[in-house]
Amino acid sequence: MALKISFLPYKIPSFPGSQDRSHRVSMASTLRSPPTENIKKPFTPPREVHVQVTHSMPPEKREIFDSLHNWAEENILIHLKPVEKCWQPTDFLPDPASDGFHDQVEELRERCREIPDEYFVVLVGDMITEEALPTYQTMINTLDGVRDETGASLTPWAIWNRAWTAEENRHGDLLNKYLYLSGRVDMRQIEKTIQYLIGSGMDPRTENNPYLGFIYTSFQERATFVSHGNTARHAKTHGDSKLAQICGTIAADEKRHETAYTKIVEKLFETDPDGTVLSLADMMRKKISMPAHLMYDGVDDNLFEHFSAVAQRLGVYTAKDYADILEFLVGRWEVEKLTGLSGEGNKAQDYVCGLPARIRRLEERAHARAKEVAPVPCSWIFGREIKI
Ligand SMILES: [Fe+2]
Ligand SMILES: [Fe+2]
């Protein structure tokens, strides 16, 4: 049965009165008033984004990040891998310079022949998410106190951001080349989706605030670790062990990134427990939107919801995973054990510690109310229909 889960982990940002607007009639990035015309402005997100809050970290807290330079050098940069020791996409793909190239491509196509369309839809969505990397580097460079001020800044924060981006760049590259060679998907539609997505950006609501930003990246790295790990598992079940290896290798990178980002937030909890728990509660109240939530292919106004619903149905990334990730992070940062908090801090602590159970309850109720939904066509697989 196809399920419609109302508490989707990839919740699209919502604003009163705007949910039903088509991308063709909404627009503008910071609208407070309704759109004046029924015309979509080019190169704007496919939905209104939230009213933007900027620079919400009090200026004096910037000093915390300045004082952590030595710490970050010794504790964060160690989680980067030297380029010479890193895998590269070509390590997992047919070698175009070898005589056996055509045979290797044929073998790749043979291996994935039994994989169902819906799996490919999820893999494509994951690949598109990775391919919007310019947006994520931009997002991290919006954060006060840790941004790369010059493009070649020598602060450990900037070094991390550039090298992290360079590591991540291999993920989309590898998945893109694999999918291209598989012949199973409509690459032109996928390429259009990537162009739309990078043009639209993202709306993580991190407010130039590195507390919020690093909580967001901690959550996201774990979410991608979970999701790539699950696509690896499914590929193996469908008989493509090479694809399983590809997804598993990417998942291992995400795990290493998660370790680095969660260490930064752990340090913030140690330095400023009240400010950090308030930030965690703030991000969770706003809900962690997935990085590719503004995706659009020129056809489907609800593309992201459809991709998310398939990922949920296949068990690649689910509402339960969302609750599990939060529970993991709350445990990792020992939020329950925090003491000496302000009144607001205590409330924030109670809220985040009780939230995983609350999300699970909501999800169970949504599951019980779920109705069968008609299949939808998906441009990424030549308009064939997928169950959602
Ligand atoms: Fe990645
Ligand atoms: Fe990552």
Side-chain angles (χ1 to χ4, degrees):
M1 186 178 75
L3 300 177
K4 192 152 172 56
I5 304 291
S6 67
F7 191 92
L8 274 179
Y10 302 101
K11 193 150 174 65
I12 290 289
S14 56
F15 2 72
S18 70
Q19 288 89 337
D20 300 329
R21 259 178 230 146
S22 149
H23 69 282
R24 293 190 191 84
V25 295
S26 60
M27 286 332 87
S29 57
T30 57
L31 282 184
R32 282 167 191 274
S33 51
T36 48
E37 296 261 348
N38 253 13
I39 299 166
K40 180 192 183 303
K41 289 185 196 154
F43 313 119
T44 50
R47 292 173 180 79
E48 282 179 33
V49 294
H50 293 87
V51 171
Q52 314 267 289
V53 178
T54 54
H55 305 287
S56 63
M57 179 174 72
E60 63 276 12
K61 291 208 177 183
R62 201 200 138 112
E63 286 162 24
I64 294 177
F65 294 88
D66 293 338
S67 73
L68 288 176
H69 279 193
N70 285 343
W71 176 86
E73 225 158 87
E74 285 161 21
N75 294 276
I76 298 304
L77 299 189
I78 54 164
H79 294 291
L80 294 166
K81 257 194 173 177
V83 175
E84 295 302 330
K85 289 191 177 158
C86 276
W87 59 267
Q88 296 299 335
T90 48
D91 301 339
F92 300 91
L93 294 163
D95 175 6
S98 87
D99 289 341
F101 178 64
H102 291 102
D103 291 342
Q104 290 165 29
V105 172
E106 204 37 61
E107 281 163 27
L108 181 154
R109 294 161 80 107
E110 195 52 49
R111 274 197 309 272
C112 69
R113 221 175 284 278
E114 297 304 316
I115 300 180
D117 268 353
E118 55 194 10
Y119 175 91
F120 271 100
V121 169
V122 176
L123 193 64
V124 167
D126 286 353
M127 179 269 261
I128 288 168
T129 305
E130 294 284 354
E131 289 283 57
L133 182 61
T135 300
Y136 315 139
Q137 188 177 29
T138 301
M139 176 255 168
I140 295 175
N141 277 331
T142 66
L143 303 177
D144 293 334
V146 296
R147 73 171 57 85
D148 183 349
E149 299 278 358
T150 64
S153 160
L154 295 176
T155 71
W157 302 117
I159 291 170
W160 165 267
N161 189 20
R162 288 192 303 273
W164 169 83
T165 304
E167 285 196 6
E168 285 283 343
N169 189 51
R170 299 165 306 145
H171 299 174
D173 194 0
L174 174 53
L175 292 173
N176 192 321
K177 286 182 176 123
Y178 171 88
L179 285 161
Y180 173 84
L181 291 172
S182 78
R184 290 285 307 272
V185 293
D186 186 337
M187 283 308 295
R188 192 168 197 285
Q189 277 303 124
I190 293 167
E191 287 159 349
K192 268 175 59 182
T193 312
I194 295 167
Q195 188 174 354
Y196 271 120
L197 180 58
I198 295 174
S200 291
M202 71 191 290
D203 183 24
R205 306 175 80 191
T206 42
E207 307 174 1
N208 311 99
N209 182 329
Y211 285 69
L212 303 180
F214 288 136
I215 289 166
Y216 182 86
T217 53
S218 297
F219 196 103
Q220 275 315 325
E221 292 291 356
R222 189 156 179 91
T224 47
F225 162 68
V226 168
S227 132
H228 289 306
N230 283 330
T231 51
R233 200 164 46 77
H234 285 265
K236 204 168 176 199
T237 312
H238 294 303
D240 191 339
S241 57
K242 285 263 173 137
L243 178 57
Q245 196 192 1
I246 286 173
C247 298
T249 303
I250 296 173
D253 272 6
E254 311 294 17
K255 183 77 198 158
R256 193 158 41 79
H257 298 160
E258 175 205 309
T259 304
Y261 285 122
T262 53
K263 259 171 109 171
I264 298 173
V265 178
E266 181 186 37
K267 190 69 182 168
L268 292 175
F269 267 113
E270 196 185 301
T271 317
D272 177 13
D274 214 58
T276 312
V277 78
L278 287 169
S279 298
L280 178 58
D282 181 32
M283 275 320 286
M284 296 318 300
R285 279 200 184 94
K286 292 188 286 200
K287 299 192 182 87
I288 304 280
S289 63
M290 293 296 121
H293 65 106
L294 297 175
M295 67 166 59
Y296 179 57
D297 60 354
V299 184
D300 183 356
D301 285 342
N302 299 304
L303 181 64
F304 186 76
E305 288 87 337
H306 293 153
F307 155 60
S308 304
V310 183
Q312 165 91 29
R313 196 170 64 75
L314 296 194
V316 170
Y317 188 74
T318 66
K320 184 183 167 298
D321 290 321
Y322 186 94
D324 290 350
I325 291 169
L326 175 59
E327 191 167 63
F328 170 85
L329 293 175
V330 165
R332 166 77 183 76
W333 295 325
E334 301 190 324
V335 180
E336 263 177 63
K337 294 188 194 155
L338 294 174
T339 51
L341 299 173
S342 66
E344 288 298 299
N346 276 319
K347 275 189 219 157
Q349 180 186 34
D350 289 347
Y351 169 71
V352 292
C353 292
L355 191 56
R358 231 178 96 204
I359 293 171
R360 287 191 191 107
R361 274 199 307 277
L362 282 170
E363 201 245 330
E364 272 164 31
R365 262 184 253 157
H367 197 82
R369 283 198 311 267
K371 294 187 194 105
E372 193 137 346
V373 179
V376 291
C378 180
S379 76
W380 300 339
I381 48 167
F382 307 97
R384 289 193 293 272
E385 289 193 335
I386 40 162
K387 269 172 72 180
I388 57 168

